[in-house]
Amino acid sequence: MLDALGWGAVAAASLLVGAVLALLRTWRAGLIGGVLAFGAGALISSVSFELAQEGLRLGGPLPVAIGIAVGALAFFFANRAVDRIGGRKGGGAGGLPLAVGALLDGIPEQAVLGIGLASGEGVSVALLVAIFVSNLPESIGSASDMRANGKGRGVVLGLWAAVAVVCALATLGGYALASVAGGQVRAGIDAFAAGALLVMLIDSMVPEAHDKAGNRAGLVTVIGFAVAAALSNLT
């Protein structure tokens, strides 16, 4: 169990690292857009190869379809709640949708990591690197937007530290569930993360990347997809 907590902390640490990097300097809008585009490509790869494909292998189409629908609805309604909060405060949500997306993706993703550890599958270095590749752009982009919208450094760091801790603890939850989690449960967890990610990508991450990086966003997204796909398929 200590191993699960340790690997979970390693995987989640990139969220806090990204927030720190965003606060250490002022990032140009084009650079933030490029980082977000690269991360979007990595997340599309994760949905394709780490989540949906693995879910289909483990549990078949029905758990995957249900999980994707539930994950999509979860992010949709959570994002609406964030927008309402921003509207009541008289300003934009300031990066919160990306934080919500990181949380809704990170919990099931790291739960799957814990299940794999408990099942004796070990930890793939390629998977850990892929998690870093996708987490950093989310936290960098979100933290930069929060600072631009007037959020204090302590608030930004506190939020991303909380997200990282919750995601790390989800690895322990997955480890504990391993004894009762069959293929269909694991497939549903994978699919939930995929559904939440897809809605977040289309509603928040991709549009923001294009707004900040312009036409370069599409090319950088493809590069991010290619890098993450290669990492995901390393043997």
Side-chain angles (χ1 to χ4, degrees), residues 8-21:
V10 169
S14 56
L15 294 167
L16 187 55
V17 169
V20 171
L21 289 174

Side-chain angles (χ1 to χ4, degrees), residues 25-121:
R25 52 165 291 180
T26 300
W27 290 57
R28 292 184 294 105
L31 186 57
I32 294 174
V35 171
L36 286 170
F38 187 91
L43 289 173
I44 293 169
S45 173
S46 178
V47 169
S48 302
F49 300 116
E50 299 288 348
L51 299 173
Q53 180 175 287
E54 182 68 6
L56 288 170
R57 185 186 70 82
L58 289 170
L62 183 58
V64 170
I66 293 173
I68 287 175
V70 173
L73 288 170
F75 180 84
F76 175 77
F77 287 111
N79 195 31
R80 286 186 64 183
V82 168
D83 286 342
R84 288 197 189 97
I85 292 171
R88 284 200 295 269
K89 292 182 177 179
L96 282 177
L98 288 177
V100 172
L103 189 64
L104 291 178
D105 162 52
I107 290 175
E109 187 174 62
Q110 298 210 189
V112 170
L113 177 63
I115 291 172
L117 285 167
S119 302
E121 298 175 5

